Structures are given as C-alpha cells and as structure tokens.
Amino acid sequence: MGFRPYVYRLAISMGVVGTVANSSSGVEIRCQGLRVREFISKLKANPPPLARVTSFRVRPAKPRRFKGFRIVASGNNGDMIPHRVPIPGALVLPDIAVCPECRKELLCSKDRRFCYPFTNCTQCGPRYTIVRTLPYDRPRTTLRGFQMCPDCSREYQNPEDRRFHAQPNACPECGPSLSLLDSSGRLLACDPIMESARAIAAGRIVAIKSLGGFQLACDATSTKAVARLRQRKSRPAKPLAVMCENLSAVRGFCRITGTGRELLCSPAAPIVLLRKRYGDTIRNHVPISVSRLIAPNNSHFGVMLAYTPLHVVLLRELHRLQGRAPVLVMTSANTRDDRLTASDPELLQELRGVFDLALTHNRPIANRCDDSVVLADKRPIMVRRARGYAPQPIVLDPWFHVKQPTLALGAELRNCFALADANRVFLSPHIGNLGSSRAEHFFHNTLERYLDWTKLKPCRIACDLHPNYLSTRLAERLSAKWKLPLFRVQHHYAHVAAVMAEHGIQKPALGLAFDGTGYGTDRAIWGCEFLLVGPDLSWRRVGHLKYLQLTEPGAVVANPGRVAAGYLLQVTGRVPRQLGLSRYVGPVRNLLQAHRAVATSSLGRLFDAVAGITGVCRNAAFEGQAPIALEACANPDEQGHYFRDNVLLTHPDPALVDPGPIISQVLEDVLAKTDPAVVSARFHNTIVRAVARLAHQLARSYRVNTVLLSGGSFQNNLLRHRVSAELRRKGYRVVYNQLVPVNDGGISLGQAVSCGTATP
Ligand code: ZN
Ligand code: ZN
Ligand code: FE
C-alpha cells in the first residue's frame, strides 16, 4: 500500500534499524537508532502521500539486535512490544486512479507494460475492491491466483522500485488478462480492446468490468447509441455519467473551475458534476457536442477521467479509431435501482439484452463499489460516496467521540451504513436502494467485511424513525439477533447532526434540513425543518413549512402533476383547465375528502408542485427530477419574487413558512403566461428570502450564530448559494456536509454520533 516502502526508505536514509509490517490493527513499526525520535516526528509530519493516518501511537520497547531495517511478513513482527493493545481499524485504502508514472509506461511502446490494462504501483491501483481479509497482502486479495513472474518479483522486492511491495503488481507475463464476450457470453477470439473500441465507434453498447463492478459504455456523442442504451436499461431520463481521456476533452462541453479540475485529477477521480457549456465560445478548445440525451433538463454533466489503465487504453484506441477525443457514457451496469453487477455470470443473468459485448477479465472483484459523485463548487459537495473514498473513516473531533461501538443503518434510499467507535466512523460505500434481495445481500456482505476488518463489535444500533424503511426493518432484525439496544433517530435531526459532527461544531446551532421526505415525530412527512440543536446534541423543532396534504405519501418518486393538483385544490380550491392537470383532479379530490392524505412540510414536494403548475415537469421518472429541471430552467437574472409578509408566520411555535401565498402567485403568473424560466427564478428567490429571514429571526431569538445546511434539497445550487450568501451577509457562520453526502447518504453519520442522546 505504499506505506511500508515509504517507512523503509525513510528508515534507511536515517540509519534507523528495525522492522515494519502490516498487522490487522494497522501498520506496526519497530525501530531503534540514534535518530529514532527524529524518524518518528518526520513520519508524523509527513506521512506517505496517499496514506491517511487516523491515529499514531508510540510506545517504548526493550532494545533488540536488528540487522538493518526490514519489511517483514504480516503478523510476524516478533514480540518487542510486551503488551500490544490492538488498535482496531487497520485501514484498507480506497481504490486509487492510475498515477502519472503508470500512465506514462502504459502509453510507451517500449515499456514492458505498454497497453497492459492491469498496470499499477504503490501509488495507484485497486485496493478496497480486491481485498478479502486483512492484513492487506497479496494472498488475501483477488490476485492470490496470480504468481508473479521473475521481473515482477524483482520489482516487488527492490526497495528502490516504485513497485516495492505493491500487492497487486502485475504484467502481461504473469497478471490478469482481458477477454471479450458476445451478448450471450461466448468468448470471442480477437483483440478485446480493439474490438470493443470498434463496437463503441459503431454505436454499440459494451459492458466493461471496472474496479468495483461492471459499467455500460457507449459513444456519448451519438444520440442513437445513447437512446438505445436508455431504452434497453429502461432509464428514460436520469442523467448518465460520461468519461473522457483528459481535461481538454472535458472542456469541450463543460466549464471547469479550479475545484472541478482538482476533483477530476484527484486520486479518487470521482464523477464530477460540472456546469454545461451552452454554445459559449471556447478558447483553444475543440467543442464537443455531447448528445442531448445524456443529461436532459439538467444544468450539469457528470464527468470523470479515465481512472483505470483499462479505461486509458480503451479511450486511446477509440481516439485513434475516430480521430477525435472520445466521450463515453460510463454508467453502472445494473437493472433499475439495483446494486451493480460484479461478475460475468451476474452480468449475463441480470443484463442480458442490454449490452452487445462484454469486456471482462479474470481478476475477481472482492467488494462492489460504485463510482463516487461530487458536485464541483468552491466547497465541493459529496453526492455519492463510494470508489476512491470508502472505506476511509471520517475522523471525529473529540467532542463527538462515539462512546460505544455503534452501527447506524442510514436510510432506505441512498443507503450507506456507518460503523463508529471513538473518533472514527467507517462509512460503507454507497449501497443504494435497499428494495431488492440483491441489494440487501450487498448490504450484508459489506457489513460483514467492515466488521471483520475493523474488529469492532457494535454495542448498539441506530436507525431512522420511519417504521417502514427497509433499513429500519434490517436494524430491528439485527438488534434482535445480536440482542442490542435499538435507537431510532429522527431523519432531519440526523441530517443536521451529521453536519455538526463533520465540522466539529460545539456550540448551539440552527440546522436547516431540507429534502423530499423524512418521518416526523408527529408522524407527518417532514422536509423543510428548522431545528435548534444544542452542543449536547439535544434538539427542538423551531420552524417548518406549513403542512399541506399529500395524496400519495408512499410513492418513491412523486408525480409532480399530481402533487400540483393536490396543492392547488387545497390552496386555491381550483385547478384551472389550461394547466393540463385535469386528469388528477378527481382522484386527488376524493383522497383529500376521504382524509386519506398525509400532512407534509416537504420542500421537495413544494418544488414538485411548482414544476407541475409551470409545466416544467409533470411526470418524473426519478426522484429529484422535477426540482432539478426547475433549477436548470430558472433565469438567473430575474430579480422578482413572491415573498409577502404573510409568507412567514412567526407567532406560532414552531414558526411557519406558508406555501399558500407562494402557490397562489405562481398560479397567477402561469395563468398570465409568464415564461416558466421567470416563474422558476421568482419561486427560487421567494424560498431563499423566506428561509433566510426565518433563519435569521430564529437564530437571533435563540442567540446562535452558526447555521447548518443539510438534506438533498441543498444539492440545488441556486438554493444553497443564495441561502448561504444571505446568511453570511448577516454575519452567520454557514456550514454544510462536504465529506459525507448532503442527501440521505450522509444520515448514518448523524445517527451514529447522536445515538443515545436525548431526543424529544
Ligand atoms: Zn502507479
Ligand atoms: Zn510479471
Ligand atoms: Fe433526507
């Protein structure tokens, strides 16, 4: 993993003798010599570039006779420390994108690894996705079946070499190899890379075995190919990620900021959400017209750079073939909302008919791991945390230390569990929607691995307050099986607690948790919550969006047209014919009259309603589609708004934001044929004003000066930028989730740190 070789080199350079080894509890160094103190402080101050040191313990030991400094086999470190206290949490590194040196070798025709798709070194390559058990050594990875050839062994044993103790070291002589299958799984005799590139250039769909699972690739500049992929995957509208060779290709269709560039080129190499270019002139860059079907009604593209040698050589071949910079769709290979496929049999069974060819290989995937997604902003926002980040722990400020080992199960959608103890919280990679037995398996397998690696034995379990979340049911089963106490944590409070823990905030703060749905303590569906949180993590709901009735509370993806009809009936008593929502009126009215609706303060649903009234989105195929479309169409120059004094009701406790007057004015504007781009902008401006004012009033009366933002709605850039700007202007410190997802993928952190504290 690069750590031991680094220690070795440092020790040799300083004349320090001893040993270094991986143990199941971390890296263990035994050292002695005149400069040993200096050695330790150097190691502390400058750990190896890719290592993240979460704890560092030094203990004295009896002197011993060492012959120089050696890297010794795991678990064979002698017994110099008499009472070794195991430090749980030997860390598996995340997978790391191909490094510049390996890339150079990969593209050099004289190198013995020219175009070899499994090239890696101590600074790059697979880690998490190949490890089965610890300590991290080749026999415990999925490379155990590959015997290193003499050349590779020499590199592996040579302390001067970049591949010194690189566990997955491989070359064309001895390492894994590619093969190409047709759609029915028959092996094709050909050059797999060349044939895959040809197929993609011809508009076909190729499944590619990547680090943590299969991906589906096709030419992103061909609308025909993208349409075929969407149709076969039954994914009509959700944005598709794309992959490029380098930054200059990305500049052909996206705007890249400083953070965007940093993220794209980082060792994690996530999918980065970048602003689209809209026909603006591009200096020094060839414009690339990516199909309009890649991210329809969205202001951003999700882009990543080739992060494995396999991607690098495939894109290189395609570039040669097409004579231009290729852009490939690179989306997870799974059926709708299921976990991703990670072996040939799974791919053939679950995705038959979706792909034309499968570019696969014989290095098994030990752990599934999806691509991560980060929103490139001045302060980047984590949207999906997986490859490149998991299983690195979040390190907590002493104030937030978890007193007993805790397992927090997270939410039902965008599931991600947290295993926490003392100052560390190990978050699972994005597991996703738990609603299938395969996803549940994925959950259990990952949990098993985490428990084994960390050696943590949970003493309590935390879950969401929602009685019907699958994650709650899982928690109930685990708590019965392991006989552990179960703590149910309110959804929005968990969102806010996650921000507090991430930023180590020890003062009372006002939390704004805005999202689609979360179960409230009054059984209503919450989703626009102003929560006052004390430094002891006690909390109180001090404000929210005034309740409206929602007629399809159980739907995973709300129908914006239907929500619009329901809200209009409640607010104005009518649904004008010209809105095109008539078909919803009857059923919705019946449900309202039969009291079969549920009260909600969801901000996401209010966005849905406005998207439905304006016609920006009447039918949604995925959660968040309507709010995303509404944000994308808003005219940024429009200054108007619908804020009137009657929007804020500050006398009741909790205080209220009344959506009624807002909806009425949206309707008026729509009936007056105002451009939806203007209506959307005015609606955004209104929410920003109402929220910032109410937050200011509440913060002032409760004497807090920190405001925490969390919840999926804050992925909306307009909302996040403007709410934080307004509040900062008034002197508040505004923080939000950055290390963990701002959406439900981050709530397990909040559940873990607040588990066991008093809740109302
Ligand atoms: Zn490398
Ligand atoms: Zn070799
Ligand atoms: Fe949420």
Side-chain angles (χ1 to χ4, degrees), residues 491 495 515 517 744:
H491 187 94
H495 270 306
D515 62 5
T517 56
D744 285 3

Side-chain angles (χ1 to χ4, degrees), residues 36 64 127 164 221 295 319 337 420 427 491 598 647 700 725 731:
V36 82
R64 211 168 91 169
R127 297 291 187 274
F164 181 49
T221 64
H319 194 150
D337 285 336
L427 290 173
H491 187 94
V598 174
V647 167
R700 210 173 34 189

Side-chain angles (χ1 to χ4, degrees), residues 99 102 121 124:
C99 76
C102 284
C121 72
C124 76

Side-chain angles (χ1 to χ4, degrees), residues 411 469 491-492 495 514-518 710-712 742-745 747:
Y469 267 2
H491 187 94
H492 300 94
H495 270 306
F514 296 173
D515 62 5
T517 56
S710 190
V742 72
N743 55 47
D744 285 3
I747 71 166

